[in-house]
Structure formats: C-alpha cells, structure tokens
Amino acid sequence: MKRVAITGLGAVTPLGNDVKTFWSHLKNGDNGINRIKAFDPSRLSSQIAGEIKDFTPSLKIDAKLARRLDPFAAYALYAAIEAIEDSGLNFSSMKKEEIGVIVGSGMGGIQTWEREHIKFLEKGPMRVSPFLIPMMIPNIAAGIISIQYGLMGPNFATVSACASSAHAIGEALRHIRYGDAKVVITGGAEAAITEYAMGGFCVEKALSTRNDNPQKASRPFDRDRDGFVIGEGAGILVLEDMDFALSRGAKIYAELAGYGLSGDGYHITAPQPDGQGAVISMRKAINNAGLTINDIDYINAHGTSTKLNDAMETQAIKSLFKDRAYKIPVSSTKSMTGHLLGAAAAIETIATALSIHESTIHPTRNYENPDEGLDLDYVPQHYREQNINAAISNSLGFGGHNVTIALKKFKG
C-alpha cells in the first residue's frame, strides 16, 4: 500500500486559532471552557461551552466571502489556509485533479439554519436569505476549500455525528492509497453552539450542568463527570502520498498509517456497553497500519466525560489490549476543548500527530477522583514526555459509528 504523510496542520479551537497556540495550551493543561457568550444561555440547563475566541476571519479570508459563510465553513477554510501554508505545497506545479478535499461536519450550518428559520416564521419563506442553502449544507466546507484553490480531485463531506472528521481523514487516506489523489486536504468543522442545538442536547441530559465552575466541567474518566461540554472549531490536515512528500522535501509530522471503522448496531445515542464496536474499529486500524497491539504507545481517547462513554471506552481498551492496557497512556483532548462534535476527531488527530512528532503526551484535565473500573493511565493533570512510535485516536458517534485512526512516527 502507498504510505501517507501528514505534512500540514491547521486549527481553529477553543484553545487558540492556530496550531502553535492550540498545542501550547493543550500541552500545558489550559482550559478553553467558559460560560457561553454568543447568546444568553440562562434558559438552558447547561450554560457553558468551548467557544472560539477572538476569531477574525479577514486575517485569512476575503471579507465578502466570510460574510457568506456559516461559521463552521469559515473555521474550516481558515484552518485549511493555515494547513496548506504549513505544508509548503505549491499547487501551481501540480495537476489540480491530483488534489482532493474531504471535510466532515456533524451539524453543518446550524447557526444559519436557526437564524433563517426564525426569519421564515416571522416574515415568510420569501424573506429567507438566498444564501440559506449554500451556507447550511454540511458539504460546503469541502466545497469552499476546493473553490478557494481551484482543486478538482475527490471532493465530498462525511456526516457521522462525532465520528464525521475521523471518517473524512480515513477516507482521505484511502483515496491516496488507491491513487485517486496525491494530496488530500481533510479534517472537520463545527459551529453548533446555538440556543436551539444546545437545547436539544440539554433535554437529552447529555451535557454537564457544572455551570458554576466551567473549567472543571469536562472531566473524562473522573468519578464526578456529569456529561460532556460542547465545543466548536475546525481541524484540517494536509495528507500526501509519501513518495511525493519526500520528493519535494516536505516536513513530515507523522505517518497516517491505519483506518478502522465499525458500527455498534445497538442504540441511537448510547454506546454498546461492552464496547465491542470500539474494539473492532481499534483492531482494524491497528491491523490496517501493519501494527500489533504491542506497538501502540499512546491512545488519544474519545473521552467525552459522560458516564456511559468513558466506562465503555475503558472496557474496550482493556478487552483489546488485555494486561498491556495498563501500560498505555490514555488522554482526552476534550477535557480542555470540550467536545467539538464533527470536528473533534480532526483536532484530536492533530494532537496525536504532534504528540508523536514532539514525544509529548498532553494531559487529561480534571481527572482527580478515580472511578470504579476506570483504572487506566489517563495522564492526569500534567503533560508527559515520552517517545511514541505508534498511536491511535478513537472517535465514536451517535448512531453507533466507531472510527479509529492509527499513526506512526515517520522513520523514512
């Protein structure tokens, strides 16, 4: 199989609007969760979120274009521009059909949908924006990135709730391996911190209600966890055929090596209690990467801070890795960013690639009180310096969608 290199990274996150800032805060255990400022959240049971701060799209995006994009698409394009700049790619020397874009989103332009639906109810259907549809559809993030650069390779969106960007990254890997593209810009974007969307999660009782202490609210694997915290943003990676990347002397963060996916076939929101779906996706990704369970040095967990997910994921890791499970560091990016839904896997894959590249494992923030049966090495509170030759990142979505991405240290 063709090998695939990660050569560019871009991010818009609750911890910063570029990769350097995001990684510095993540490594140091800083927290991006606060009381919601985008609207008055007082009617909600959960009033906290990982919001994007000080985002100025005009720094990278034409101001007129930015006004015609839902925030999720603006985040995606902004992060893509950073990732492409970081990669050092010169598209003018390539055939545009050799460059693809695959970007996932779970909710798409829900901010636009909510705003225009209110307008529809108050003023009628002929008063909604002519940009309603192109601003709302989840595939517009992939579309707008390709339009920005005139790219004509494989171009589509993946929509699988919290696994959306993991599917995007995995499918990008496959398209390079199949020879459909030399380069794929991939990842995910989400901007679902709206009163309407938050209300849906609140009545489902999925969110933390620790409103008096937002920075302690997301506490994956901790005994006192009471639900996840919504976040927003985008993560974009540039993937390249390894031979092509080497031929142009590209900087390589890590090798994207494996992709595993499965379904639970169990419940619309609850994970399968024994975690067999997650076991299957982890095993498939490891096998697809040409690795064994003994090769895995780190796991970036889905780690949502919900009672059911954290118990299930811990059980799945134990089921697959047996006694070795206790020797593998496991940490949750969501403890500091909140849960970016369809963009979560993208920023977590970026974090995993940087962990490999810099031999540093970021901590799980707020892991303070061990829970019965949740007894793995969750890297509590402080980052750890450790060589990582291979790692996996898990993403598990409503509907029973399980995806695992496997990465290796680049060794030439």
Side-chain angles (χ1 to χ4, degrees), residues 308-377:
L308 294 180
N309 175 87
D310 295 359
M312 177 280 295
E313 190 172 12
T314 297
Q315 178 57 46
I317 292 168
K318 291 179 181 179
S319 295
L320 180 62
F321 290 93
K322 309 300 182 187
D323 290 344
R324 193 166 181 277
Y326 295 94
K327 301 176 182 178
I328 304 174
V330 178
S331 65
S332 171
T333 305
K334 295 180 182 72
S335 65
M336 290 168 275
T337 62
H339 190 341
L340 271 64
L341 307 177
I347 68 161
E348 290 160 14
T349 302
I350 289 171
T352 306
L354 290 170
S355 294
I356 292 172
H357 187 65
E358 299 193 6
S359 300
T360 301
I361 297 171
H362 76 70
T364 300
R365 177 77 181 267
N366 299 324
Y367 179 74
E368 298 168 337
N369 304 301
D371 197 2
E372 182 178 359
L374 278 66
D375 52 358
L376 300 180
D377 176 6

Coordinates of all heavy atoms in Angstrom, one line a residue, residues 308-377:
L308 N -21.6 6.9 30.4 CA -21.6 5.7 29.6 C -20.3 5.6 28.7 O -19.7 4.5 28.6 CB -22.9 5.7 28.7 CG -24.2 5.5 29.5 CD1 -25.3 5.5 28.5 CD2 -24.2 4.2 30.3
N309 N -20.0 6.7 28.0 CA -18.9 6.6 27.0 C -17.6 6.2 27.7 O -16.8 5.3 27.3 CB -18.7 7.9 26.3 CG -17.4 7.8 25.4 OD1 -17.5 7.4 24.3 ND2 -16.3 8.3 25.9
D310 N -17.2 6.9 28.8 CA -15.9 6.7 29.4 C -15.8 5.3 30.0 O -14.7 4.7 29.9 CB -15.7 7.7 30.5 CG -15.6 9.1 30.0 OD1 -15.7 9.3 28.7 OD2 -15.4 10.1 30.8
A311 N -16.9 4.7 30.5 CA -16.8 3.4 31.0 C -16.7 2.4 29.9 O -15.9 1.4 29.9 CB -18.1 3.1 31.8
M312 N -17.4 2.6 28.8 CA -17.4 1.7 27.6 C -16.0 1.8 27.0 O -15.4 0.7 26.7 CB -18.5 2.1 26.6 CG -18.4 1.3 25.3 SD -17.2 1.8 24.1 CE -17.8 3.5 23.7
E313 N -15.5 3.0 26.8 CA -14.2 3.1 26.1 C -13.1 2.4 26.9 O -12.2 1.8 26.3 CB -13.8 4.5 25.8 CG -12.7 4.7 24.8 CD -12.4 6.1 24.4 OE1 -13.1 7.0 24.9 OE2 -11.6 6.3 23.4
T314 N -13.1 2.6 28.2 CA -12.1 2.0 29.1 C -12.2 0.5 28.9 O -11.2 -0.3 28.8 CB -12.3 2.4 30.5 OG1 -12.1 3.8 30.7 CG2 -11.4 1.6 31.5
Q315 N -13.5 -0.1 29.0 CA -13.7 -1.5 28.8 C -13.2 -2.0 27.5 O -12.6 -3.1 27.4 CB -15.1 -1.9 29.0 CG -15.5 -3.3 28.8 CD -14.7 -4.2 29.8 OE1 -14.6 -3.9 31.0 NE2 -14.1 -5.3 29.3
A316 N -13.4 -1.2 26.4 CA -13.0 -1.6 25.1 C -11.4 -1.7 25.0 O -10.9 -2.7 24.4 CB -13.5 -0.6 24.0
I317 N -10.8 -0.7 25.6 CA -9.3 -0.8 25.6 C -8.8 -2.0 26.4 O -7.9 -2.7 25.9 CB -8.8 0.6 26.2 CG1 -9.1 1.7 25.3 CG2 -7.3 0.5 26.5 CD1 -8.8 3.1 25.9
K318 N -9.4 -2.3 27.5 CA -9.0 -3.5 28.2 C -9.3 -4.7 27.5 O -8.5 -5.7 27.5 CB -9.8 -3.5 29.6 CG -9.4 -2.4 30.6 CD -10.2 -2.6 31.8 CE -9.9 -1.5 32.9 NZ -10.7 -1.7 34.1
S319 N -10.4 -4.8 26.8 CA -10.7 -6.0 26.0 C -9.8 -6.3 24.9 O -9.4 -7.4 24.7 CB -12.2 -5.9 25.4 OG -13.1 -5.8 26.4
L320 N -9.3 -5.2 24.2 CA -8.4 -5.4 23.1 C -6.9 -5.6 23.6 O -6.2 -6.5 23.1 CB -8.4 -4.2 22.2 CG -7.5 -4.3 20.9 CD1 -7.9 -5.5 20.1 CD2 -7.6 -3.0 20.1
F321 N -6.5 -4.8 24.5 CA -5.1 -4.8 24.9 C -4.7 -5.7 26.0 O -3.6 -5.9 26.4 CB -4.6 -3.3 25.2 CG -4.6 -2.5 24.0 CD1 -5.7 -1.7 23.6 CD2 -3.4 -2.4 23.1 CE1 -5.6 -0.9 22.5 CE2 -3.4 -1.6 22.0 CZ -4.5 -0.8 21.7
K322 N -5.8 -6.2 26.7 CA -5.6 -7.1 27.8 C -4.7 -6.5 28.9 O -4.9 -5.3 29.2 CB -4.9 -8.5 27.4 CG -5.7 -9.1 26.2 CD -7.1 -9.4 26.5 CE -7.8 -10.1 25.3 NZ -9.2 -10.3 25.6
D323 N -3.7 -7.2 29.4 CA -2.9 -6.6 30.5 C -2.1 -5.4 30.1 O -1.8 -4.6 30.9 CB -1.9 -7.7 31.1 CG -2.7 -8.8 31.8 OD1 -3.8 -8.6 32.2 OD2 -2.1 -9.9 32.0
R324 N -1.8 -5.3 28.8 CA -1.0 -4.2 28.3 C -1.7 -2.9 28.4 O -1.1 -1.8 28.3 CB -0.5 -4.5 26.9 CG 0.6 -3.5 26.5 CD 1.3 -3.9 25.2 NE 2.4 -3.0 24.9 CZ 2.1 -1.8 24.3 NH1 0.9 -1.5 23.8 NH2 3.1 -0.9 24.1
A325 N -3.1 -3.0 28.5 CA -3.9 -1.8 28.6 C -3.4 -0.8 29.7 O -3.5 0.4 29.6 CB -5.3 -2.1 28.8
Y326 N -2.9 -1.4 30.8 CA -2.5 -0.6 32.0 C -1.1 0.1 31.7 O -0.7 0.9 32.5 CB -2.4 -1.5 33.2 CG -3.8 -2.0 33.6 CD1 -4.2 -3.3 33.1 CD2 -4.7 -1.3 34.4 CE1 -5.5 -3.8 33.5 CE2 -5.9 -1.8 34.7 CZ -6.3 -3.0 34.2 OH -7.6 -3.5 34.6
K327 N -0.4 -0.3 30.7 CA 0.9 0.3 30.4 C 0.8 1.4 29.3 O 1.8 2.0 29.0 CB 1.8 -0.8 30.0 CG 2.0 -1.9 31.0 CD 2.9 -3.0 30.5 CE 3.1 -4.1 31.5 NZ 3.9 -5.2 31.0
I328 N -0.4 1.6 28.7 CA -0.5 2.6 27.6 C -1.1 3.9 28.1 O -2.2 3.9 28.6 CB -1.4 2.0 26.5 CG1 -0.8 0.6 26.0 CG2 -1.5 3.0 25.3 CD1 -1.7 -0.1 25.0
P329 N -0.4 5.0 28.0 CA -1.0 6.3 28.4 C -2.3 6.6 27.5 O -2.3 6.3 26.3 CB 0.1 7.3 28.1 CG 1.3 6.5 28.0 CD 0.9 5.1 27.5
V330 N -3.3 7.0 28.2 CA -4.6 7.4 27.5 C -5.0 8.8 27.9 O -5.1 9.1 29.1 CB -5.7 6.4 27.9 CG1 -7.0 6.8 27.3 CG2 -5.3 5.0 27.6
S331 N -5.2 9.7 27.0 CA -5.6 11.0 27.4 C -6.7 11.6 26.5 O -6.9 11.1 25.4 CB -4.4 12.0 27.4 OG -3.9 12.3 26.2
S332 N -7.4 12.5 27.1 CA -8.6 13.1 26.4 C -8.4 14.6 26.1 O -8.3 15.4 27.0 CB -9.9 12.9 27.2 OG -10.9 13.7 26.7
T333 N -8.4 14.9 24.8 CA -8.3 16.3 24.4 C -9.5 17.1 24.8 O -9.5 18.3 25.2 CB -8.1 16.4 22.9 OG1 -7.0 15.6 22.5 CG2 -8.0 17.8 22.4
K334 N -10.7 16.4 24.9 CA -11.9 17.1 25.2 C -12.0 17.6 26.6 O -12.8 18.5 26.9 CB -13.1 16.1 25.0 CG -13.3 15.7 23.6 CD -14.5 14.7 23.5 CE -14.7 14.2 22.0 NZ -13.6 13.3 21.6
S335 N -11.1 17.2 27.5 CA -11.0 17.7 28.8 C -10.7 19.2 28.9 O -11.0 19.9 29.8 CB -10.0 16.9 29.7 OG -8.7 17.1 29.2
M336 N -10.1 19.7 27.7 CA -9.7 21.1 27.7 C -10.5 21.9 26.6 O -10.6 23.1 26.7 CB -8.2 21.2 27.5 CG -7.4 20.8 28.7 SD -5.7 20.6 28.4 CE -5.6 18.9 27.7
T337 N -10.9 21.2 25.5 CA -11.5 21.9 24.4 C -13.1 21.8 24.5 O -13.8 22.5 23.8 CB -11.1 21.3 23.1 OG1 -11.5 20.0 23.0 CG2 -9.6 21.5 22.9
G338 N -13.6 20.8 25.3 CA -14.9 20.4 25.1 C -15.0 19.5 23.9 O -14.0 19.2 23.3
H339 N -16.2 19.1 23.6 CA -16.4 18.1 22.5 C -16.8 18.9 21.2 O -17.9 19.5 21.2 CB -17.6 17.2 22.9 CG -17.8 16.0 22.0 ND1 -17.3 16.0 20.7 CD2 -18.4 14.8 22.2 CE1 -17.6 14.8 20.2 NE2 -18.3 14.1 21.1
L340 N -15.9 18.9 20.3 CA -16.2 19.6 19.0 C -17.0 18.9 18.0 O -17.1 19.2 16.8 CB -14.8 20.0 18.4 CG -14.3 21.4 18.8 CD1 -13.9 21.4 20.3 CD2 -13.1 21.8 18.0
L341 N -17.7 17.8 18.5 CA -18.7 17.1 17.7 C -18.0 16.6 16.4 O -17.1 15.9 16.4 CB -19.9 18.0 17.4 CG -20.6 18.5 18.7 CD1 -21.8 19.4 18.3 CD2 -21.1 17.5 19.6
G342 N -18.5 17.1 15.2 CA -18.0 16.6 14.0 C -16.5 17.0 13.7 O -15.9 16.5 12.8
A343 N -16.0 18.0 14.4 CA -14.6 18.4 14.3 C -13.7 17.8 15.3 O -12.5 18.0 15.2 CB -14.6 20.0 14.4
A344 N -14.3 17.1 16.3 CA -13.4 16.6 17.4 C -12.3 15.7 16.9 O -11.1 15.9 17.3 CB -14.3 15.8 18.4
A345 N -12.6 14.7 16.0 CA -11.6 13.8 15.6 C -10.4 14.5 14.9 O -9.3 14.1 15.0 CB -12.2 12.8 14.7
A346 N -10.8 15.6 14.1 CA -9.7 16.3 13.4 C -8.7 16.9 14.3 O -7.5 16.8 14.2 CB -10.3 17.3 12.5
I347 N -9.2 17.7 15.4 CA -8.2 18.3 16.2 C -7.5 17.3 17.1 O -6.4 17.5 17.5 CB -8.9 19.4 17.1 CG1 -9.8 18.9 18.1 CG2 -9.5 20.5 16.2 CD1 -10.1 19.9 19.2
E348 N -8.2 16.1 17.4 CA -7.6 15.1 18.2 C -6.5 14.3 17.3 O -5.5 13.9 17.9 CB -8.6 14.2 18.7 CG -9.4 14.9 19.8 CD -10.8 14.3 20.1 OE1 -11.1 13.1 19.7 OE2 -11.6 15.0 20.8
T349 N -6.7 14.2 16.0 CA -5.7 13.6 15.2 C -4.5 14.5 15.1 O -3.3 14.1 15.1 CB -6.3 13.3 13.8 OG1 -7.4 12.4 13.9 CG2 -5.2 12.6 12.9
I350 N -4.8 15.8 15.0 CA -3.7 16.8 15.0 C -2.9 16.7 16.3 O -1.6 16.7 16.4 CB -4.2 18.2 14.9 CG1 -4.7 18.5 13.4 CG2 -3.2 19.3 15.3 CD1 -5.5 19.8 13.2
A351 N -3.6 16.6 17.5 CA -2.9 16.5 18.8 C -2.1 15.2 18.8 O -1.0 15.2 19.4 CB -4.0 16.5 19.9
T352 N -2.6 14.1 18.2 CA -1.9 12.8 18.2 C -0.7 12.9 17.4 O 0.4 12.4 17.7 CB -2.8 11.7 17.8 OG1 -4.0 11.7 18.6 CG2 -2.1 10.3 17.9
A353 N -0.8 13.5 16.2 CA 0.4 13.7 15.3 C 1.5 14.5 16.0 O 2.7 14.2 15.9 CB 0.0 14.4 14.0
L354 N 1.1 15.6 16.7 CA 2.0 16.4 17.4 C 2.6 15.7 18.6 O 3.8 15.9 19.0 CB 1.4 17.7 17.9 CG 1.1 18.7 16.8 CD1 0.2 19.8 17.3 CD2 2.3 19.2 16.1
S355 N 1.8 14.8 19.3 CA 2.4 14.0 20.4 C 3.5 13.1 19.9 O 4.5 13.0 20.5 CB 1.3 13.2 21.0 OG 0.3 14.0 21.6
I356 N 3.3 12.5 18.7 CA 4.3 11.7 18.1 C 5.5 12.5 17.7 O 6.7 12.1 18.0 CB 3.7 10.9 16.9 CG1 2.7 9.9 17.4 CG2 4.8 10.2 16.1 CD1 1.9 9.2 16.2
H357 N 5.3 13.6 17.0 CA 6.3 14.4 16.5 C 7.2 15.0 17.6 O 8.4 15.1 17.4 CB 5.7 15.6 15.7 CG 6.7 16.4 14.9 ND1 7.5 15.9 13.9 CD2 7.0 17.7 15.0 CE1 8.2 16.8 13.4 NE2 8.0 17.9 14.0
E358 N 6.6 15.4 18.7 CA 7.3 16.1 19.8 C 7.6 15.2 21.0 O 8.1 15.7 22.0 CB 6.6 17.3 20.2 CG 6.5 18.3 19.1 CD 6.0 19.7 19.5 OE1 5.9 19.9 20.7 OE2 5.8 20.6 18.6
S359 N 7.2 13.9 20.9 CA 7.4 13.0 22.0 C 6.8 13.5 23.3 O 7.4 13.5 24.4 CB 8.9 12.7 22.2 OG 9.4 12.1 21.1
T360 N 5.6 14.0 23.2 CA 4.9 14.7 24.4 C 3.5 14.3 24.4 O 2.8 14.4 23.4 CB 5.0 16.2 24.3 OG1 6.4 16.6 24.3 CG2 4.3 16.8 25.5
I361 N 3.0 13.8 25.5 CA 1.6 13.4 25.7 C 0.9 14.5 26.5 O 1.3 14.8 27.6 CB 1.4 12.1 26.4 CG1 2.1 11.0 25.5 CG2 0.0 11.7 26.6 CD1 2.2 9.6 26.2
H362 N -0.2 15.1 25.9 CA -0.9 16.1 26.7 C -1.7 15.4 27.8 O -2.1 14.2 27.7 CB -1.8 17.0 25.8 CG -3.0 16.3 25.3 ND1 -4.1 16.0 26.1 CD2 -3.4 15.9 24.0 CE1 -5.1 15.5 25.4 NE2 -4.7 15.4 24.1
P363 N -2.1 16.1 28.9 CA -2.8 15.5 30.0 C -4.3 15.4 29.8 O -4.8 16.0 28.8 CB -2.5 16.5 31.1 CG -2.4 17.8 30.5 CD -1.7 17.6 29.1
T364 N -4.9 14.7 30.7 CA -6.4 14.7 30.8 C -6.6 15.7 32.0 O -6.3 15.4 33.1 CB -6.9 13.3 31.1 OG1 -6.6 12.4 30.0 CG2 -8.4 13.4 31.3
R365 N -7.2 16.8 31.6 CA -7.5 17.8 32.7 C -8.7 17.3 33.5 O -9.6 16.6 33.1 CB -7.9 19.1 32.0 CG -8.3 20.3 32.9 CD -7.1 20.9 33.6 NE -7.6 22.0 34.4 CZ -7.7 23.3 34.1 NH1 -7.3 23.6 32.8 NH2 -8.0 24.2 34.9
N366 N -8.6 17.7 34.8 CA -9.7 17.4 35.7 C -9.9 15.9 36.1 O -11.0 15.6 36.7 CB -11.1 18.0 35.2 CG -11.0 19.5 35.0 OD1 -10.4 20.2 35.8 ND2 -11.7 19.9 34.0
Y367 N -9.0 15.1 35.8 CA -9.1 13.7 36.3 C -8.5 13.7 37.7 O -7.3 13.8 37.9 CB -8.3 12.8 35.4 CG -8.3 11.3 35.9 CD1 -9.5 10.6 35.8 CD2 -7.2 10.8 36.5 CE1 -9.6 9.3 36.3 CE2 -7.3 9.5 37.0 CZ -8.5 8.7 36.9 OH -8.5 7.4 37.3
E368 N -9.4 13.7 38.7 CA -9.0 13.9 40.1 C -9.4 12.8 41.0 O -8.8 12.4 42.0 CB -9.6 15.2 40.6 CG -9.1 16.4 39.9 CD -9.9 17.7 40.2 OE1 -11.1 17.6 40.6 OE2 -9.3 18.8 40.0
N369 N -10.6 12.2 40.7 CA -11.1 11.1 41.5 C -11.4 9.9 40.7 O -12.3 9.8 39.9 CB -12.5 11.6 42.2 CG -12.3 12.9 42.9 OD1 -11.5 13.0 43.8 ND2 -13.1 13.9 42.5
P370 N -10.6 8.8 41.0 CA -10.8 7.6 40.2 C -12.2 7.0 40.4 O -12.7 7.0 41.5 CB -9.7 6.7 40.8 CG -8.7 7.6 41.3 CD -9.4 8.8 41.9
D371 N -12.7 6.4 39.3 CA -14.0 5.8 39.3 C -13.8 4.3 39.3 O -12.8 3.8 38.7 CB -14.8 6.2 38.1 CG -16.3 5.9 38.3 OD1 -16.7 5.4 39.3 OD2 -17.0 6.2 37.3
E372 N -14.7 3.6 39.9 CA -14.6 2.1 39.9 C -14.5 1.5 38.5 O -15.4 1.8 37.7 CB -15.8 1.5 40.7 CG -15.7 0.0 40.8 CD -16.8 -0.6 41.6 OE1 -17.7 0.2 42.1 OE2 -16.9 -1.8 41.8
G373 N -13.5 0.8 38.3 CA -13.3 0.1 37.0 C -12.6 1.0 35.9 O -12.2 0.5 34.9
L374 N -12.5 2.3 36.2 CA -11.8 3.2 35.2 C -10.5 3.4 35.8 O -10.2 4.4 36.5 CB -12.6 4.5 35.1 CG -13.8 4.4 34.1 CD1 -14.9 3.5 34.6 CD2 -14.3 5.8 33.8
D375 N -9.6 2.5 35.5 CA -8.3 2.5 36.2 C -7.1 2.4 35.3 O -6.0 1.8 35.6 CB -8.3 1.2 37.2 CG -8.6 -0.1 36.5 OD1 -8.9 0.0 35.3 OD2 -8.6 -1.1 37.1
L376 N -7.2 3.0 34.1 CA -6.1 3.0 33.2 C -5.2 4.3 33.5 O -5.5 5.1 34.4 CB -6.6 3.1 31.8 CG -7.4 1.9 31.3 CD1 -7.8 2.1 29.9 CD2 -6.7 0.6 31.5
D377 N -4.1 4.4 32.8 CA -3.2 5.6 32.9 C -3.7 6.7 32.1 O -3.5 6.8 30.9 CB -1.8 5.2 32.5 CG -0.8 6.3 32.6 OD1 -1.2 7.4 33.1 OD2 0.3 6.2 32.1

